[in-house]
Amino acid sequence: MPRIAGVDIPNDKRIDVALTRIYGIGLYTAQQILGTARIELEVRAGKLSEDEVSRIANIIENDYVVEGQLRRTLQQNIARLRDIRCHRGLRHIRGLPVRGQRTRTNARTRKGPKKTVAGKKSVKEMR
């Protein structure tokens, strides 16, 4: 298994698909990287030579923010929003959707499982 940017790349996949295992690299970016490195897209990751792997690793290291550095940057951006208490920061704090989605229905991914609230008892039941 080739190791690029601290991630083991699967041997049996095409190299453009295998590069998407690296956090911050999608299919389009992987194809751009391979074009810069002059490597064909059909090659399997296990068939790459050491020279080709090092070329890919150098391109990623020099031109792209990936893995830990990217995760750290995103967390810092969210922390900044929380600190300045802007609308988006407050939504992050409260665990609600940040980008204007509705919350009356749906939004279960952000809000978590339903928390059932007991209904108000009527006057007749109280007696």
PDB file of all heavy atoms in Angstrom, residues 67-77:
ATOM      1  N   GLU A  67      -5.713  16.677   5.154  1.00  0.00           N
ATOM      2  CA  GLU A  67      -5.654  15.928   6.412  1.00  0.00           C
ATOM      3  C   GLU A  67      -5.655  16.826   7.647  1.00  0.00           C
ATOM      4  O   GLU A  67      -6.524  17.659   7.784  1.00  0.00           O
ATOM      5  CB  GLU A  67      -4.460  14.974   6.415  1.00  0.00           C
ATOM      6  CG  GLU A  67      -4.702  13.711   5.602  1.00  0.00           C
ATOM      7  CD  GLU A  67      -5.846  12.861   6.110  1.00  0.00           C
ATOM      8  OE1 GLU A  67      -6.034  12.704   7.327  1.00  0.00           O
ATOM      9  OE2 GLU A  67      -6.583  12.323   5.277  1.00  0.00           O
ATOM     10  N   GLY A  68      -4.697  16.659   8.543  1.00  0.00           N
ATOM     11  CA  GLY A  68      -4.708  17.323   9.848  1.00  0.00           C
ATOM     12  C   GLY A  68      -4.732  18.834   9.764  1.00  0.00           C
ATOM     13  O   GLY A  68      -5.449  19.499  10.510  1.00  0.00           O
ATOM     14  N   GLN A  69      -3.961  19.400   8.864  1.00  0.00           N
ATOM     15  CA  GLN A  69      -3.916  20.862   8.730  1.00  0.00           C
ATOM     16  C   GLN A  69      -5.274  21.403   8.286  1.00  0.00           C
ATOM     17  O   GLN A  69      -5.733  22.437   8.788  1.00  0.00           O
ATOM     18  CB  GLN A  69      -2.830  21.258   7.717  1.00  0.00           C
ATOM     19  CG  GLN A  69      -2.658  22.755   7.553  1.00  0.00           C
ATOM     20  CD  GLN A  69      -2.206  23.440   8.825  1.00  0.00           C
ATOM     21  OE1 GLN A  69      -1.389  22.901   9.570  1.00  0.00           O
ATOM     22  NE2 GLN A  69      -2.737  24.609   9.105  1.00  0.00           N
ATOM     23  N   LEU A  70      -5.942  20.714   7.364  1.00  0.00           N
ATOM     24  CA  LEU A  70      -7.260  21.142   6.898  1.00  0.00           C
ATOM     25  C   LEU A  70      -8.296  21.024   8.011  1.00  0.00           C
ATOM     26  O   LEU A  70      -9.110  21.925   8.226  1.00  0.00           O
ATOM     27  CB  LEU A  70      -7.688  20.320   5.686  1.00  0.00           C
ATOM     28  CG  LEU A  70      -9.052  20.637   5.086  1.00  0.00           C
ATOM     29  CD1 LEU A  70      -9.138  22.091   4.655  1.00  0.00           C
ATOM     30  CD2 LEU A  70      -9.342  19.719   3.919  1.00  0.00           C
ATOM     31  N   ARG A  71      -8.267  19.910   8.740  1.00  0.00           N
ATOM     32  CA  ARG A  71      -9.204  19.736   9.863  1.00  0.00           C
ATOM     33  C   ARG A  71      -8.997  20.821  10.912  1.00  0.00           C
ATOM     34  O   ARG A  71      -9.962  21.383  11.446  1.00  0.00           O
ATOM     35  CB  ARG A  71      -9.008  18.367  10.507  1.00  0.00           C
ATOM     36  CG  ARG A  71      -9.425  17.199   9.637  1.00  0.00           C
ATOM     37  CD  ARG A  71      -9.145  15.890  10.357  1.00  0.00           C
ATOM     38  NE  ARG A  71      -9.017  14.775   9.463  1.00  0.00           N
ATOM     39  CZ  ARG A  71     -10.022  13.978   9.118  1.00  0.00           C
ATOM     40  NH1 ARG A  71     -11.226  14.174   9.596  1.00  0.00           N
ATOM     41  NH2 ARG A  71      -9.815  12.970   8.295  1.00  0.00           N
ATOM     42  N   ARG A  72      -7.743  21.131  11.210  1.00  0.00           N
ATOM     43  CA  ARG A  72      -7.414  22.163  12.197  1.00  0.00           C
ATOM     44  C   ARG A  72      -7.924  23.530  11.739  1.00  0.00           C
ATOM     45  O   ARG A  72      -8.503  24.293  12.521  1.00  0.00           O
ATOM     46  CB  ARG A  72      -5.896  22.192  12.403  1.00  0.00           C
ATOM     47  CG  ARG A  72      -5.445  22.710  13.704  1.00  0.00           C
ATOM     48  CD  ARG A  72      -3.970  22.506  14.039  1.00  0.00           C
ATOM     49  NE  ARG A  72      -3.089  22.012  12.987  1.00  0.00           N
ATOM     50  CZ  ARG A  72      -2.799  20.736  12.770  1.00  0.00           C
ATOM     51  NH1 ARG A  72      -3.335  19.784  13.520  1.00  0.00           N
ATOM     52  NH2 ARG A  72      -1.974  20.382  11.800  1.00  0.00           N
ATOM     53  N   THR A  73      -7.740  23.838  10.454  1.00  0.00           N
ATOM     54  CA  THR A  73      -8.202  25.113   9.901  1.00  0.00           C
ATOM     55  C   THR A  73      -9.717  25.241  10.017  1.00  0.00           C
ATOM     56  O   THR A  73     -10.235  26.294  10.419  1.00  0.00           O
ATOM     57  CB  THR A  73      -7.779  25.232   8.425  1.00  0.00           C
ATOM     58  OG1 THR A  73      -6.365  25.091   8.342  1.00  0.00           O
ATOM     59  CG2 THR A  73      -8.183  26.574   7.848  1.00  0.00           C
ATOM     60  N   LEU A  74     -10.443  24.164   9.679  1.00  0.00           N
ATOM     61  CA  LEU A  74     -11.902  24.207   9.772  1.00  0.00           C
ATOM     62  C   LEU A  74     -12.363  24.399  11.217  1.00  0.00           C
ATOM     63  O   LEU A  74     -13.285  25.177  11.485  1.00  0.00           O
ATOM     64  CB  LEU A  74     -12.504  22.922   9.189  1.00  0.00           C
ATOM     65  CG  LEU A  74     -12.336  22.730   7.689  1.00  0.00           C
ATOM     66  CD1 LEU A  74     -12.894  21.386   7.264  1.00  0.00           C
ATOM     67  CD2 LEU A  74     -13.010  23.840   6.920  1.00  0.00           C
ATOM     68  N   GLN A  75     -11.717  23.705  12.155  1.00  0.00           N
ATOM     69  CA  GLN A  75     -12.080  23.856  13.567  1.00  0.00           C
ATOM     70  C   GLN A  75     -11.798  25.266  14.069  1.00  0.00           C
ATOM     71  O   GLN A  75     -12.570  25.818  14.857  1.00  0.00           O
ATOM     72  CB  GLN A  75     -11.336  22.827  14.423  1.00  0.00           C
ATOM     73  CG  GLN A  75     -11.879  21.430  14.293  1.00  0.00           C
ATOM     74  CD  GLN A  75     -13.352  21.333  14.660  1.00  0.00           C
ATOM     75  OE1 GLN A  75     -13.800  21.893  15.666  1.00  0.00           O
ATOM     76  NE2 GLN A  75     -14.122  20.655  13.826  1.00  0.00           N
ATOM     77  N   GLN A  76     -10.707  25.865  13.611  1.00  0.00           N
ATOM     78  CA  GLN A  76     -10.387  27.235  13.999  1.00  0.00           C
ATOM     79  C   GLN A  76     -11.410  28.215  13.448  1.00  0.00           C
ATOM     80  O   GLN A  76     -11.803  29.169  14.126  1.00  0.00           O
ATOM     81  CB  GLN A  76      -8.983  27.617  13.529  1.00  0.00           C
ATOM     82  CG  GLN A  76      -7.883  26.943  14.301  1.00  0.00           C
ATOM     83  CD  GLN A  76      -6.521  27.161  13.676  1.00  0.00           C
ATOM     84  OE1 GLN A  76      -6.395  27.631  12.548  1.00  0.00           O
ATOM     85  NE2 GLN A  76      -5.484  26.783  14.418  1.00  0.00           N
ATOM     86  N   ASN A  77     -11.873  27.984  12.215  1.00  0.00           N
ATOM     87  CA  ASN A  77     -12.894  28.852  11.619  1.00  0.00           C
ATOM     88  C   ASN A  77     -14.198  28.784  12.412  1.00  0.00           C
ATOM     89  O   ASN A  77     -14.837  29.810  12.675  1.00  0.00           O
ATOM     90  CB  ASN A  77     -13.146  28.462  10.165  1.00  0.00           C
ATOM     91  CG  ASN A  77     -11.980  28.790   9.275  1.00  0.00           C
ATOM     92  OD1 ASN A  77     -11.107  29.583   9.635  1.00  0.00           O
ATOM     93  ND2 ASN A  77     -11.932  28.181   8.111  1.00  0.00           N
TER      94      ASN A  77
END
